[in-house]
Amino acid sequence: EVWRFALEEVEGSVQWAYAREFKSMVEARTDGEVTVRIHPYGSLGTSADLTQQVRQGALQFTFASPGHLGSVVPEVQLLTLHFILSDDNRVNHEVLTGNQRFNELLDEAYRERGLTLYSIVPEGWMVWTAGKPLRNPADFDGVKIRTMVSPLLLSSYKAYGAKPSPMPYGEVYGALQMDMIDAQVNPVFAIQEMSFHEVQDAMTRARHAQFIATVASAPGFIDGLSAERRAMLDEIRGELAGFIFDKQRELNDKRLAMIEDSSDIEIIELDDSQRAAFRERSLPVRDEYVELAGERGRKLLDTLVQAIEQADGTE
Ligand code: 6CS
């Protein structure tokens, strides 16, 4: 039996590390009865294509980032909102992977659209790269920034005065090189492996959002497995949460050092007062989220905000 697992990222990425570990766990625990075949980004199409293939049953698992999936599952765009997470990455990790109510509510939203939520996978802080530092909202004025395609991401960058330009991941390098866009936003490991730093002059670190991916499956697939296999998948999800938290940190740290060694890109870290100016601009986008995502969206938002506040208080 073959389980096909598609990635929105290339070999060497956080998603690839996750899938490789998933593969070795599944294959060992099913005594070779199941083979997991990993499909890195490229051959099967864009993120939107991958989601479609899971819904049709051609793939058993795919990574599905809220930045792309928001067009299909509006509620998941919560995970693209700016300044909604803790500054403490471990708190974010614990809440996102460990809060059962949050995961169940999100799974309901997935199921309504022909998907199931297998796991939530935080991949590290996003940073902005551009031809210049982006220290305050005025620096974004008229900047053509590439975003993923979910509608709320466009709102987030319009709120800063930018001109967001959504496009698939695979087109970003070429678009930067050809000056069709000025800027883009991604976690550091991805910027290095996609070589975006080679065609940008400045990297601004605002800790405005994490890149949070999810792993989606087809409802009929997991529900149709034996109780034993479902229990195995639950166990593996729990073990992978800790594994990938350490892995994303390691990859993001290493790749930042590689970027610093191999290019003269300017790296800017915003201070708290600079971040506060962006945060203030970002707040109305939360209301827009609730309008788009309805009652369940509001519940997800409240659950996340409360869980983070509580965890922040106890750290
Ligand atoms: O920017 C994107 O579209 C992509 N970035 C990452 C880090 N993973 C997948 C996603 O499609």
Short mmCIF file of all heavy atoms in Angstrom, two decimals, residues 166-217:
data_model
loop_
_atom_site.label_atom_id
_atom_site.label_comp_id
_atom_site.label_asym_id
_atom_site.label_seq_id
_atom_site.Cartn_x
_atom_site.Cartn_y
_atom_site.Cartn_z
N PRO A 166 -0.55 38.68 -5.34
CA PRO A 166 -0.52 37.25 -5.03
C PRO A 166 -0.02 36.41 -6.21
O PRO A 166 -0.33 36.73 -7.35
CB PRO A 166 -1.99 36.91 -4.73
CG PRO A 166 -2.79 37.98 -5.39
CD PRO A 166 -1.92 39.20 -5.52
N MET A 167 0.77 35.41 -5.93
CA MET A 167 1.20 34.49 -6.99
C MET A 167 1.72 33.21 -6.36
O MET A 167 2.06 33.19 -5.17
CB MET A 167 2.27 35.13 -7.89
CG MET A 167 3.60 35.39 -7.22
SD MET A 167 4.81 36.13 -8.34
CE MET A 167 4.20 37.80 -8.49
N PRO A 168 1.78 32.11 -7.13
CA PRO A 168 2.31 30.86 -6.58
C PRO A 168 3.79 30.97 -6.24
O PRO A 168 4.53 31.79 -6.81
CB PRO A 168 2.10 29.84 -7.72
CG PRO A 168 1.14 30.47 -8.66
CD PRO A 168 1.29 31.95 -8.51
N TYR A 169 4.20 30.15 -5.32
CA TYR A 169 5.57 30.13 -4.79
C TYR A 169 6.61 30.02 -5.90
O TYR A 169 7.62 30.72 -5.90
CB TYR A 169 5.66 28.92 -3.87
CG TYR A 169 6.81 28.85 -2.90
CD1 TYR A 169 7.32 29.97 -2.26
CD2 TYR A 169 7.35 27.59 -2.57
CE1 TYR A 169 8.34 29.84 -1.33
CE2 TYR A 169 8.37 27.45 -1.64
CZ TYR A 169 8.87 28.59 -1.03
OH TYR A 169 9.87 28.45 -0.10
N GLY A 170 6.35 29.13 -6.83
CA GLY A 170 7.33 28.83 -7.88
C GLY A 170 7.62 30.01 -8.80
O GLY A 170 8.59 29.99 -9.55
N GLU A 171 6.79 31.04 -8.76
CA GLU A 171 6.98 32.18 -9.66
C GLU A 171 7.71 33.35 -9.01
O GLU A 171 8.01 34.35 -9.67
CB GLU A 171 5.62 32.67 -10.18
CG GLU A 171 4.94 31.64 -11.08
CD GLU A 171 3.52 32.03 -11.46
OE1 GLU A 171 3.16 33.22 -11.35
OE2 GLU A 171 2.77 31.12 -11.85
N VAL A 172 7.98 33.23 -7.70
CA VAL A 172 8.46 34.40 -6.96
C VAL A 172 9.87 34.82 -7.39
O VAL A 172 10.14 36.00 -7.63
CB VAL A 172 8.42 34.15 -5.43
CG1 VAL A 172 8.93 35.37 -4.67
CG2 VAL A 172 7.00 33.81 -4.99
N TYR A 173 10.78 33.85 -7.52
CA TYR A 173 12.17 34.21 -7.85
C TYR A 173 12.22 34.98 -9.17
O TYR A 173 12.82 36.05 -9.26
CB TYR A 173 13.06 32.96 -7.91
CG TYR A 173 14.51 33.30 -8.17
CD1 TYR A 173 15.37 33.62 -7.12
CD2 TYR A 173 15.00 33.35 -9.47
CE1 TYR A 173 16.69 33.97 -7.35
CE2 TYR A 173 16.33 33.69 -9.72
CZ TYR A 173 17.17 34.00 -8.66
OH TYR A 173 18.47 34.35 -8.90
N GLY A 174 11.56 34.43 -10.18
CA GLY A 174 11.55 35.07 -11.50
C GLY A 174 10.94 36.46 -11.45
O GLY A 174 11.44 37.40 -12.07
N ALA A 175 9.85 36.60 -10.70
CA ALA A 175 9.16 37.89 -10.62
C ALA A 175 10.03 38.94 -9.94
O ALA A 175 10.03 40.11 -10.32
CB ALA A 175 7.83 37.73 -9.90
N LEU A 176 10.82 38.51 -8.93
CA LEU A 176 11.74 39.45 -8.27
C LEU A 176 12.86 39.84 -9.24
O LEU A 176 13.23 41.00 -9.35
CB LEU A 176 12.35 38.80 -7.02
CG LEU A 176 11.46 38.69 -5.79
CD1 LEU A 176 12.12 37.81 -4.73
CD2 LEU A 176 11.14 40.06 -5.19
N GLN A 177 13.37 38.83 -9.92
CA GLN A 177 14.49 39.06 -10.83
C GLN A 177 14.09 40.02 -11.96
O GLN A 177 14.88 40.87 -12.37
CB GLN A 177 14.90 37.71 -11.41
CG GLN A 177 16.31 37.67 -11.91
CD GLN A 177 16.64 36.29 -12.43
OE1 GLN A 177 15.77 35.56 -12.89
NE2 GLN A 177 17.91 35.93 -12.36
N MET A 178 12.86 39.89 -12.42
CA MET A 178 12.37 40.70 -13.54
C MET A 178 11.78 42.03 -13.06
O MET A 178 11.19 42.76 -13.86
CB MET A 178 11.27 39.95 -14.31
CG MET A 178 11.67 38.58 -14.79
SD MET A 178 12.79 38.63 -16.18
CE MET A 178 11.65 39.05 -17.47
N ASP A 179 11.87 42.30 -11.74
CA ASP A 179 11.31 43.54 -11.17
C ASP A 179 9.80 43.67 -11.37
O ASP A 179 9.27 44.78 -11.44
CB ASP A 179 12.01 44.78 -11.75
CG ASP A 179 13.42 44.90 -11.21
OD1 ASP A 179 13.64 44.52 -10.04
OD2 ASP A 179 14.30 45.36 -11.95
N MET A 180 9.13 42.54 -11.50
CA MET A 180 7.66 42.60 -11.57
C MET A 180 7.10 42.84 -10.17
O MET A 180 5.99 43.33 -10.01
CB MET A 180 7.11 41.30 -12.14
CG MET A 180 7.36 41.19 -13.64
SD MET A 180 7.37 39.48 -14.21
CE MET A 180 5.72 39.00 -13.80
N ILE A 181 7.85 42.44 -9.15
CA ILE A 181 7.49 42.73 -7.76
C ILE A 181 8.74 43.30 -7.07
O ILE A 181 9.87 43.10 -7.55
CB ILE A 181 7.02 41.47 -7.00
CG1 ILE A 181 7.99 40.30 -7.24
CG2 ILE A 181 5.60 41.08 -7.39
CD1 ILE A 181 7.72 39.09 -6.37
N ASP A 182 8.51 43.99 -5.94
CA ASP A 182 9.62 44.61 -5.21
C ASP A 182 10.03 43.81 -3.98
O ASP A 182 11.15 43.96 -3.49
CB ASP A 182 9.21 46.00 -4.69
CG ASP A 182 8.63 46.89 -5.77
OD1 ASP A 182 9.23 46.94 -6.86
OD2 ASP A 182 7.57 47.52 -5.52
N ALA A 183 9.09 43.06 -3.42
CA ALA A 183 9.29 42.48 -2.09
C ALA A 183 8.57 41.14 -1.98
O ALA A 183 7.70 40.82 -2.80
CB ALA A 183 8.76 43.45 -1.04
N GLN A 184 8.94 40.38 -0.95
CA GLN A 184 8.23 39.14 -0.67
C GLN A 184 8.38 38.83 0.81
O GLN A 184 9.18 39.45 1.51
CB GLN A 184 8.73 38.00 -1.56
CG GLN A 184 10.15 37.53 -1.30
CD GLN A 184 10.24 36.53 -0.16
OE1 GLN A 184 9.42 35.62 -0.04
NE2 GLN A 184 11.24 36.69 0.69
N VAL A 185 7.63 37.87 1.28
CA VAL A 185 7.64 37.54 2.70
C VAL A 185 7.62 36.03 2.89
O VAL A 185 6.81 35.34 2.28
CB VAL A 185 6.45 38.24 3.42
CG1 VAL A 185 5.14 38.08 2.66
CG2 VAL A 185 6.29 37.77 4.85
N ASN A 186 8.56 35.53 3.70
CA ASN A 186 8.69 34.09 3.93
C ASN A 186 9.58 33.83 5.14
O ASN A 186 10.30 34.73 5.57
CB ASN A 186 9.30 33.41 2.68
CG ASN A 186 8.25 32.66 1.87
OD1 ASN A 186 7.56 31.79 2.39
ND2 ASN A 186 8.13 33.00 0.61
N PRO A 187 9.58 32.60 5.67
CA PRO A 187 10.56 32.30 6.72
C PRO A 187 11.96 32.20 6.13
O PRO A 187 12.13 31.95 4.93
CB PRO A 187 10.08 30.95 7.27
CG PRO A 187 9.22 30.36 6.23
CD PRO A 187 8.66 31.49 5.42
N VAL A 188 12.96 32.39 6.99
CA VAL A 188 14.35 32.49 6.53
C VAL A 188 14.82 31.23 5.79
O VAL A 188 15.47 31.31 4.74
CB VAL A 188 15.28 32.78 7.73
CG1 VAL A 188 16.74 32.68 7.31
CG2 VAL A 188 14.99 34.17 8.28
N PHE A 189 14.45 30.05 6.30
CA PHE A 189 14.95 28.83 5.65
C PHE A 189 14.51 28.79 4.19
O PHE A 189 15.26 28.36 3.31
CB PHE A 189 14.48 27.56 6.40
CG PHE A 189 13.08 27.14 6.05
CD1 PHE A 189 12.84 26.33 4.95
CD2 PHE A 189 11.99 27.57 6.80
CE1 PHE A 189 11.54 25.97 4.60
CE2 PHE A 189 10.70 27.22 6.46
CZ PHE A 189 10.48 26.41 5.35
N ALA A 190 13.27 29.27 3.93
CA ALA A 190 12.72 29.21 2.58
C ALA A 190 13.39 30.24 1.67
O ALA A 190 13.66 29.98 0.50
CB ALA A 190 11.21 29.45 2.63
N ILE A 191 13.68 31.41 2.24
CA ILE A 191 14.34 32.46 1.45
C ILE A 191 15.69 31.95 0.96
O ILE A 191 16.07 32.12 -0.20
CB ILE A 191 14.49 33.73 2.32
CG1 ILE A 191 13.10 34.33 2.53
CG2 ILE A 191 15.46 34.74 1.69
CD1 ILE A 191 13.03 35.42 3.57
N GLN A 192 16.41 31.24 1.86
CA GLN A 192 17.72 30.73 1.46
C GLN A 192 17.58 29.66 0.38
O GLN A 192 18.25 29.71 -0.65
CB GLN A 192 18.45 30.19 2.70
CG GLN A 192 19.92 29.91 2.47
CD GLN A 192 20.18 28.58 1.80
OE1 GLN A 192 19.40 27.63 1.94
NE2 GLN A 192 21.26 28.50 1.04
N GLU A 193 16.67 28.70 0.59
CA GLU A 193 16.63 27.57 -0.37
C GLU A 193 16.03 27.98 -1.72
O GLU A 193 16.28 27.34 -2.73
CB GLU A 193 15.92 26.35 0.21
CG GLU A 193 14.43 26.46 0.37
CD GLU A 193 13.85 25.38 1.30
OE1 GLU A 193 14.62 24.65 1.94
OE2 GLU A 193 12.62 25.30 1.38
N MET A 194 15.26 29.09 -1.73
CA MET A 194 14.69 29.58 -3.00
C MET A 194 15.54 30.71 -3.59
O MET A 194 15.19 31.28 -4.62
CB MET A 194 13.26 30.07 -2.77
CG MET A 194 12.30 29.01 -2.25
SD MET A 194 12.10 27.58 -3.34
CE MET A 194 10.92 28.26 -4.53
N SER A 195 16.65 31.05 -2.90
CA SER A 195 17.61 32.08 -3.37
C SER A 195 17.02 33.48 -3.48
O SER A 195 17.55 34.32 -4.20
CB SER A 195 18.21 31.70 -4.73
OG SER A 195 18.78 30.43 -4.67
N PHE A 196 15.93 33.77 -2.77
CA PHE A 196 15.34 35.11 -2.85
C PHE A 196 16.32 36.19 -2.37
O PHE A 196 16.29 37.32 -2.86
CB PHE A 196 14.04 35.21 -2.02
CG PHE A 196 12.94 34.27 -2.45
CD1 PHE A 196 11.97 33.85 -1.54
CD2 PHE A 196 12.86 33.80 -3.76
CE1 PHE A 196 10.95 32.99 -1.92
CE2 PHE A 196 11.84 32.93 -4.14
CZ PHE A 196 10.88 32.53 -3.23
N HIS A 197 17.18 35.83 -1.41
CA HIS A 197 18.12 36.82 -0.88
C HIS A 197 19.09 37.31 -1.96
O HIS A 197 19.65 38.40 -1.85
CB HIS A 197 18.91 36.24 0.30
CG HIS A 197 19.71 35.04 -0.06
ND1 HIS A 197 19.15 33.83 -0.39
CD2 HIS A 197 21.05 34.86 -0.17
CE1 HIS A 197 20.11 32.97 -0.67
NE2 HIS A 197 21.27 33.56 -0.55
N GLU A 198 19.26 36.51 -3.00
CA GLU A 198 20.19 36.92 -4.08
C GLU A 198 19.65 38.09 -4.88
O GLU A 198 20.40 38.79 -5.54
CB GLU A 198 20.43 35.74 -5.04
CG GLU A 198 21.24 34.63 -4.41
CD GLU A 198 21.37 33.43 -5.34
OE1 GLU A 198 20.86 33.48 -6.48
OE2 GLU A 198 21.95 32.42 -4.89
N VAL A 199 18.33 38.25 -4.88
CA VAL A 199 17.73 39.30 -5.70
C VAL A 199 17.02 40.35 -4.84
O VAL A 199 16.09 41.02 -5.30
CB VAL A 199 16.76 38.69 -6.76
CG1 VAL A 199 17.54 38.10 -7.92
CG2 VAL A 199 15.85 37.62 -6.15
N GLN A 200 17.44 40.47 -3.57
CA GLN A 200 16.86 41.47 -2.66
C GLN A 200 17.99 42.12 -1.87
O GLN A 200 19.03 41.50 -1.65
CB GLN A 200 15.90 40.79 -1.68
CG GLN A 200 14.71 40.13 -2.38
CD GLN A 200 13.51 41.06 -2.52
OE1 GLN A 200 12.58 41.01 -1.76
NE2 GLN A 200 13.55 41.91 -3.52
N ASP A 201 17.79 43.36 -1.43
CA ASP A 201 18.86 44.09 -0.75
C ASP A 201 18.73 44.14 0.77
O ASP A 201 19.70 44.39 1.46
CB ASP A 201 18.93 45.53 -1.27
CG ASP A 201 19.20 45.55 -2.76
OD1 ASP A 201 20.06 44.75 -3.21
OD2 ASP A 201 18.54 46.32 -3.48
N ALA A 202 17.49 43.99 1.28
CA ALA A 202 17.31 44.14 2.72
C ALA A 202 16.31 43.11 3.25
O ALA A 202 15.35 42.75 2.55
CB ALA A 202 16.82 45.54 3.04
N MET A 203 16.59 42.66 4.46
CA MET A 203 15.69 41.72 5.12
C MET A 203 15.26 42.34 6.44
O MET A 203 16.11 42.66 7.28
CB MET A 203 16.43 40.40 5.38
CG MET A 203 15.61 39.39 6.16
SD MET A 203 16.61 38.00 6.76
CE MET A 203 16.92 37.13 5.24
N THR A 204 13.96 42.55 6.61
CA THR A 204 13.45 43.18 7.83
C THR A 204 12.74 42.14 8.68
O THR A 204 11.84 41.45 8.20
CB THR A 204 12.48 44.33 7.49
OG1 THR A 204 13.15 45.26 6.64
CG2 THR A 204 12.01 45.03 8.76
N ARG A 205 13.18 42.07 9.94
CA ARG A 205 12.60 41.09 10.86
C ARG A 205 11.66 41.83 11.82
O ARG A 205 12.11 42.58 12.67
CB ARG A 205 13.71 40.37 11.63
CG ARG A 205 14.61 39.54 10.70
CD ARG A 205 15.98 39.28 11.29
NE ARG A 205 15.92 38.47 12.49
CZ ARG A 205 15.92 37.13 12.50
NH1 ARG A 205 15.97 36.47 11.38
NH2 ARG A 205 15.88 36.48 13.64
N ALA A 206 10.35 41.61 11.65
CA ALA A 206 9.36 42.31 12.48
C ALA A 206 8.64 41.35 13.42
O ALA A 206 7.85 41.79 14.25
CB ALA A 206 8.34 43.00 11.59
N ARG A 207 8.88 40.04 13.30
CA ARG A 207 8.12 39.02 14.04
C ARG A 207 6.62 39.33 13.99
O ARG A 207 5.92 39.29 14.98
CB ARG A 207 8.60 38.92 15.49
CG ARG A 207 10.04 38.42 15.61
CD ARG A 207 10.37 37.88 17.00
NE ARG A 207 9.99 38.73 18.09
CZ ARG A 207 10.62 39.86 18.43
NH1 ARG A 207 11.69 40.27 17.75
NH2 ARG A 207 10.19 40.55 19.46
N HIS A 208 6.14 39.60 12.79
CA HIS A 208 4.71 39.94 12.62
C HIS A 208 3.85 38.69 12.54
O HIS A 208 2.67 38.71 12.85
CB HIS A 208 4.52 40.80 11.37
CG HIS A 208 4.84 40.05 10.11
ND1 HIS A 208 6.13 39.77 9.72
CD2 HIS A 208 4.04 39.47 9.20
CE1 HIS A 208 6.09 39.06 8.60
NE2 HIS A 208 4.85 38.87 8.27
N ALA A 209 4.44 37.60 12.05
CA ALA A 209 3.67 36.35 11.91
C ALA A 209 4.62 35.18 11.74
O ALA A 209 5.75 35.35 11.26
CB ALA A 209 2.75 36.43 10.70
N GLN A 210 4.15 34.02 12.14
CA GLN A 210 4.87 32.79 11.85
C GLN A 210 4.40 32.26 10.50
O GLN A 210 3.26 32.52 10.11
CB GLN A 210 4.48 31.72 12.88
CG GLN A 210 5.00 31.93 14.25
CD GLN A 210 6.28 31.18 14.46
OE1 GLN A 210 6.44 30.03 14.07
NE2 GLN A 210 7.22 31.84 15.08
N PHE A 211 5.24 31.50 9.85
CA PHE A 211 4.72 30.72 8.73
C PHE A 211 4.16 29.44 9.34
O PHE A 211 4.90 28.63 9.90
CB PHE A 211 5.81 30.39 7.71
CG PHE A 211 5.22 29.72 6.50
CD1 PHE A 211 4.79 30.48 5.44
CD2 PHE A 211 5.03 28.36 6.47
CE1 PHE A 211 4.18 29.88 4.34
CE2 PHE A 211 4.43 27.76 5.38
CZ PHE A 211 4.01 28.52 4.31
N ILE A 212 2.84 29.29 9.24
CA ILE A 212 2.21 28.11 9.84
C ILE A 212 1.58 27.28 8.72
O ILE A 212 0.73 27.77 7.98
CB ILE A 212 1.12 28.53 10.84
CG1 ILE A 212 1.76 29.39 11.94
CG2 ILE A 212 0.44 27.30 11.45
CD1 ILE A 212 0.75 30.14 12.77
N ALA A 213 2.04 26.05 8.60
CA ALA A 213 1.46 25.17 7.59
C ALA A 213 0.50 24.19 8.27
O ALA A 213 0.49 24.07 9.50
CB ALA A 213 2.55 24.41 6.87
N THR A 214 -0.31 23.53 7.48
CA THR A 214 -1.10 22.42 8.02
C THR A 214 -0.90 21.22 7.10
O THR A 214 -0.55 21.38 5.93
CB THR A 214 -2.61 22.74 8.09
OG1 THR A 214 -3.15 22.79 6.76
CG2 THR A 214 -2.89 24.05 8.81
N VAL A 215 -1.10 20.04 7.66
CA VAL A 215 -1.12 18.83 6.81
C VAL A 215 -2.58 18.42 6.69
O VAL A 215 -3.28 18.27 7.69
CB VAL A 215 -0.29 17.69 7.42
CG1 VAL A 215 -0.39 16.44 6.53
CG2 VAL A 215 1.17 18.11 7.56
N ALA A 216 -3.04 18.30 5.45
CA ALA A 216 -4.43 17.94 5.19
C ALA A 216 -4.50 16.56 4.57
O ALA A 216 -3.57 16.11 3.89
CB ALA A 216 -5.07 18.96 4.25
N SER A 217 -5.62 15.90 4.83
CA SER A 217 -5.85 14.59 4.24
C SER A 217 -7.29 14.55 3.74
O SER A 217 -8.07 15.46 4.01
CB SER A 217 -5.60 13.53 5.31
OG SER A 217 -5.83 12.25 4.77
#
